[in-house]
């Protein structure tokens, strides 16, 4: 063997060792977030088991898999139902805008319903699924189906008590689907102490997806988990999912990484005096800002001023309001010269007003994610994030903020979170923990002076920029927010009317002194 050949073989071995194993062929489901946690989609030409308790969304996921296949990938599908008729399915899915009748009319979707009554079945040793295979094959061949759904597997075997026959036919069904080359979803009910009723379906399936609908503190949350996936990497954590009028959505939270870009571009806070305190230019684009303070200290006013400034720049802004209705927010902000309603009419501002108790923490996060996906804002306000106390503890709120901030930073969305500080607030004792997620932290507070209650503002931190360390008086006027320097005298700090009176008295004293020096008698 020559040295040249030896070197060539050595390079070949090295290339083989360094090469990564190829992933198996996959089919995209088209469902938001689900393909992400599946690392590309379901195994092509193989069966996938979707299991869970009643009402968790198995049939919705399966039907959307077929609908998305037709719409997005021109792949016809067959839906075999063992519980509902075609008319019932069309009616049940009408709120989701799937338009099943049109897909059926175009021969893109075939729905076949097989009623199996346990009382009508006489179990024999020769019972098999040959009749089902014939109907399946006919339906697949007639429309050239690439995707198949069987809903649900328990109904198919409801008349069988012989476990040996049942298991043999289950295996034969899954092998038949593989041989046919269709990508299939089989739905099944959750069993006792196992993912499926028979305990065999999960073993003969190439992919198993488990859906769960749990109620904690009277709040329902749906979650999805990929239990197994032969021949492919996949996310293994639980993820919240949502079913609304657009269908099935999953947010792949743990897939987010700290690889977002950091912009050097600056955006105005909406308050000229605050911009001056922030190195004269305002916030960094894509940064996260926390504004914390007691009730009535002006947090919403700062958030609304930021939103209006963004709209004036022509940037779409999303405003999540957790304690006021949209009309109430608009009315209140007009009193300080911030007119949000006109930007909402122009389509630059969208206000989403929701009671925190309407969802659990994870469902709120998913709703926010969907709104961000659909509206595509450049700026965002959450007012106040502390109202989540009613549906979660500090650790849950912090985890939600971490995930939401990652989403926002990955999209370069500049965001403001307001936080109410009170004696009972979870956020108050944990502001330090929350602030570690934040780029700029602004504190607004109330200052008692004589018989008045006034406001003050200071910047506790602002990463990556020089910023003022002064405490400034925070004034709400009919023309917006103003900041003035704290007024100190020998008797202490004066704000509001006391500051104005002392300033006037000093001005009068200076004038009098000037007149005396000018030779007045």
């Amino acid at each position: 063997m020559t040295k040249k050949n030896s070197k060539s073989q050595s390079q070949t071995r090295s290339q083989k060792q360094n090469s990564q194993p190829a992933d198996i062929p996959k089919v995209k489901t088209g469902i938001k977030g689900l393909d992400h946690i599946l690392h590309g989609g379901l195994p092509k030409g193989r069966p996938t088991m979707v299991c869970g308790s009643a009402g968790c969304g198995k049939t919705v996921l399966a039907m959307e898999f077929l609908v998305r296949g037709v719409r997005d990938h021109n792949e016809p599908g067959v839906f075999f139902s063992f519980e509902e008729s075609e008319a019932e399915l069309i009616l049940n899915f009408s709120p989701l805008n799937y338009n099943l009748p049109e897909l059926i009319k175009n021969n893109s979707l075939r729905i076949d319903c097989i009623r199996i009554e346990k009382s009508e079945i006489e179990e024999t040793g020769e019972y098999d699924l040959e009749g089902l295979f014939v109907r399946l094959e006919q339906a697949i061949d007639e429309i050239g189906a690439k995707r198949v759904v069987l809903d649900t597997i328990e109904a198919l075997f409801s008349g069988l008590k012989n476990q040996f026959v049942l298991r043999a036919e289950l295996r034969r069904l899954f092998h038949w689907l593989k041989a046919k080359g269709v990508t299939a979803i089989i739905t099944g009910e959750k069993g006792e102490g196992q993912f499926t009723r028979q305990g065999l379906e999960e073993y003969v399936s190439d992919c198993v997806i488990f859906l769960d609908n749990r109620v904690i503190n009277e709040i329902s949350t749906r979650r999805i988990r990929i239990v197994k996936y032969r021949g492919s990497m996949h996310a293994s954590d639980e993820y919240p999912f949502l079913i609304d009028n657009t269908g099935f959505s999953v947010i792949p939270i743990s897939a987010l990484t700290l690889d977002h870009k950091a912009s050097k571009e600056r955006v105005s806070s909406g308050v000229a005096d605050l911009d001056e305190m922030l190195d004269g230019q305002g916030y960094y684009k894509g940064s996260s800002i926390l504004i914390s303070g007691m009730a009535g200290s002006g947090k919403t006013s700062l958030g609304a001023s930021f939103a209006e400034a963004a709209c004036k720049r022509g940037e779409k802004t999303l405003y999540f309001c957790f304690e006021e209705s949209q009309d109430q927010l608009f009315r209140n902000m007009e009193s300080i010269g911030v007119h949000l309603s006109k930007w909402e009419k122009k389509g630059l501002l969208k206000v989403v007003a929701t009671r925190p108790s309407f969802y659990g923490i994870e469902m709120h996060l998913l709703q926010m994610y969907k709104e961000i996906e659909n509206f595509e804002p450049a700026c965002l306000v959450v007012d106040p994030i502390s109202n989540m106390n009613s549906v979660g503890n500090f650790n849950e709120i912090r985890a939600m903020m971490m995930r939401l901030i990652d989403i926002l930073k990955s999209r370069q969305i500049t965001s403001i979170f307001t936080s109410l500080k009170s004696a009972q607030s979870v956020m108050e004792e944990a502001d330090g923990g929350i602030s570690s997620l934040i780029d700029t932290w602004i504190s607004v507070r109330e200052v008692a002076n004589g018989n008045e209650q006034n406001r003050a503002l200071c910047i506790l931190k602002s990463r990556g920029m020089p910023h003022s360390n002064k405490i400034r008086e925070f004034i709400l006027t009919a023309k917006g927010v103003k900041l003035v320097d704290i007024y100190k005298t020998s008797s202490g700090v004066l704000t509001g009317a006391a500051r104005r009176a002392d300033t006037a008295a000093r001005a009068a004293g200076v004038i009098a002194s000037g007149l005396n020096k000018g030779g007045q008698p």
Side-chain angles (χ1 to χ4, degrees):
M1 183 182 294
T2 63
K3 290 184 178 180
K4 184 177 181 180
N5 289 339
S6 177
K7 183 178 181 181
S8 176
Q9 290 182 1
S10 175
Q11 288 176 341
T12 301
R13 285 195 299 269
S14 177
Q15 289 172 356
K16 287 181 179 180
Q17 290 172 355
N18 293 331
S19 64
Q20 296 295 324
D23 232 357
I24 64 171
K26 295 185 177 183
V27 170
K28 289 185 178 295
T29 65
I31 296 173
K32 287 183 179 180
L34 181 56
D35 289 328
H36 195 152
I37 62 177
L38 287 167
H39 287 204
L42 298 179
K44 185 177 181 179
R46 301 186 185 189
T48 293
M49 191 76 204
V50 176
C51 49
S53 56
C56 64
K58 301 184 295 296
T59 304
V60 177
L61 187 154
M63 184 63 83
E64 185 157 349
F65 167 69
L66 295 185
V67 172
R68 295 291 179 186
V70 174
R71 291 180 179 175
D72 302 340
H73 305 287
N74 195 28
E75 293 184 356
V78 171
F79 190 102
F80 261 68
S81 173
F82 304 110
E83 293 182 335
E84 298 172 286
S85 68
E86 180 178 323
E88 288 172 331
L89 286 169
I90 290 174
L91 180 62
N92 293 345
F93 282 102
S94 57
L96 299 183
N97 299 318
Y98 287 168
N99 200 355
L100 299 185
E102 181 184 355
L103 300 181
I104 295 170
K105 182 180 177 181
N106 295 335
N107 279 329
S108 299
L109 176 68
R110 176 67 57 85
I111 297 178
D112 198 344
C113 302
I114 302 176
R115 288 285 187 182
I116 300 178
E117 296 295 337
K118 185 176 180 180
S119 59
E120 297 176 3
I121 297 177
E122 183 180 353
E123 185 178 340
T124 70
E126 297 179 355
Y127 176 91
D128 59 36
L129 299 178
E130 200 60 43
L132 174 65
F133 296 158
V134 171
R135 290 183 65 166
L136 259 177
E137 187 163 30
Q138 183 180 357
I140 291 169
D141 292 343
E142 283 182 355
I143 65 171
K146 303 295 182 183
R147 303 183 180 205
V148 170
V149 168
L150 302 180
D151 182 49
T152 64
I153 197 71
E154 284 75 29
L156 185 60
F157 295 104
S158 61
L160 272 178
K161 296 179 181 178
N162 189 321
Q163 291 295 310
F164 295 105
V165 175
L166 188 151
R167 288 174 176 267
E169 289 303 294
L170 267 176
R171 290 183 184 276
R172 198 158 74 95
L173 172 62
F174 279 72
H175 290 154
W176 186 91
L177 291 168
K178 278 188 180 182
K180 193 62 181 175
V182 292
T183 305
I185 284 182
I186 299 96
T187 69
E189 295 294 329
K190 182 180 181 296
E192 293 293 332
Q194 52 197 13
F195 291 109
T196 54
R197 189 74 62 82
Q198 304 300 330
L200 176 68
E201 302 95 320
E202 59 199 81
Y203 293 104
V204 295
S205 302
D206 288 86
C207 179
V208 177
I209 299 174
F210 182 69
L211 306 183
D212 185 28
N213 185 16
R214 67 190 70 165
V215 178
I216 301 175
N217 296 328
E218 300 180 355
I219 296 174
S220 173
T221 302
R222 288 186 167 101
R223 291 181 174 88
I224 186 170
R225 178 161 71 95
I226 313 303
V227 177
K228 66 176 270 190
Y229 197 150
R230 287 178 183 148
S232 173
M233 298 293 293
H234 62 88
S236 57
D237 294 336
E238 282 191 330
Y239 302 90
F241 71 90
L242 176 70
I243 298 174
D244 59 12
N245 62 345
T246 63
F248 201 101
S249 301
V250 182
I251 176 168
I253 297 165
S254 64
L256 297 169
T257 56
L258 289 173
D259 57 359
H260 50 262
K261 295 181 180 179
S263 174
K264 293 184 178 180
E265 186 180 342
R266 305 288 277 275
V267 294
S268 173
S269 66
V271 179
D273 297 325
L274 181 55
D275 288 345
E276 190 61 34
M277 295 178 71
L278 294 162
D279 195 27
Q281 302 177 70
Y283 309 124
Y284 277 123
K285 180 180 179 180
S287 64
S288 53
I289 300 99
L290 175 67
I291 301 174
S292 62
M294 301 288 285
S297 56
K299 302 180 297 299
T300 299
S301 300
L302 289 173
S305 299
F306 168 74
E308 184 182 49
C311 293
K312 286 180 178 178
R313 296 192 300 269
E315 297 179 353
K316 292 170 72 174
T317 302
L318 188 57
Y319 198 116
F320 290 101
C321 194
F322 291 123
E323 61 182 9
E324 295 178 288
S325 68
Q326 175 179 289
D327 287 347
Q328 186 178 356
L329 175 68
F330 289 172
R331 182 204 65 187
N332 293 348
M333 291 304 102
E334 284 178 0
S335 67
I336 60 168
V338 176
H339 303 283
L340 297 177
S341 58
K342 69 176 182 179
W343 303 112
E344 191 266 341
K345 291 175 183 176
K346 290 181 178 181
L348 286 170
L349 175 69
K350 182 174 182 180
V351 177
V352 180
T354 312
R355 284 288 182 192
S357 56
F358 194 70
Y359 298 117
I361 287 282
E362 290 180 332
M363 290 303 290
H364 273 294
L365 177 61
L366 186 51
Q367 284 283 10
M368 289 179 175
Y369 177 73
K370 283 181 66 68
E371 293 290 351
I372 292 167
E373 283 268 299
N374 296 331
F375 193 62
E376 297 181 341
C379 298
L380 178 140
V381 178
V382 180
D383 179 37
I385 191 67
S386 52
N387 271 23
M388 291 296 163
N389 295 341
S390 60
V391 291
N393 57 39
F394 165 66
N395 289 330
E396 291 170 333
I397 297 172
R398 190 180 191 279
M400 173 197 180
M401 283 192 65
M402 184 183 300
R403 295 164 176 175
L404 180 57
I405 288 171
D406 280 344
I407 293 169
L408 298 172
K409 284 183 177 291
S410 68
R411 296 166 181 260
Q412 287 288 287
I413 298 173
T414 313
S415 55
I416 281 184
F417 300 86
T418 70
S419 171
L420 173 66
K421 296 180 70 172
S422 66
Q424 290 77 34
S425 173
V426 173
M427 299 294 283
E428 180 183 24
E429 63 179 350
D431 263 339
I434 294 296
S435 70
S436 65
L437 308 174
I438 296 297
D439 298 304
T440 298
W441 185 9
I442 296 170
S443 174
V444 285
R445 63 190 73 172
E446 293 181 347
V447 179
N449 193 274
N451 61 349
E452 283 186 340
Q453 192 84 352
N454 297 297
R455 301 177 180 90
L457 176 149
C458 67
I459 300 172
L460 300 182
K461 78 169 194 177
S462 192
R463 290 170 177 160
M465 70 174 76
H467 57 276
S468 173
N469 62 354
K470 289 184 177 180
I471 299 175
R472 302 186 70 179
E473 188 175 352
F474 176 36
I475 305 172
L476 298 178
T477 74
K479 295 183 178 180
V481 177
K482 304 291 182 185
L483 301 177
V484 298
D485 288 335
I486 288 291
Y487 192 76
K488 292 183 178 180
T489 67
S490 57
S491 57
V493 175
L494 300 181
T495 59
R499 169 180 53 78
R500 292 191 292 273
D502 192 80
T503 301
R506 285 173 180 268
V510 170
I511 293 172
S513 175
L515 289 174
N516 290 332
K517 289 182 180 179
Q520 290 291 335

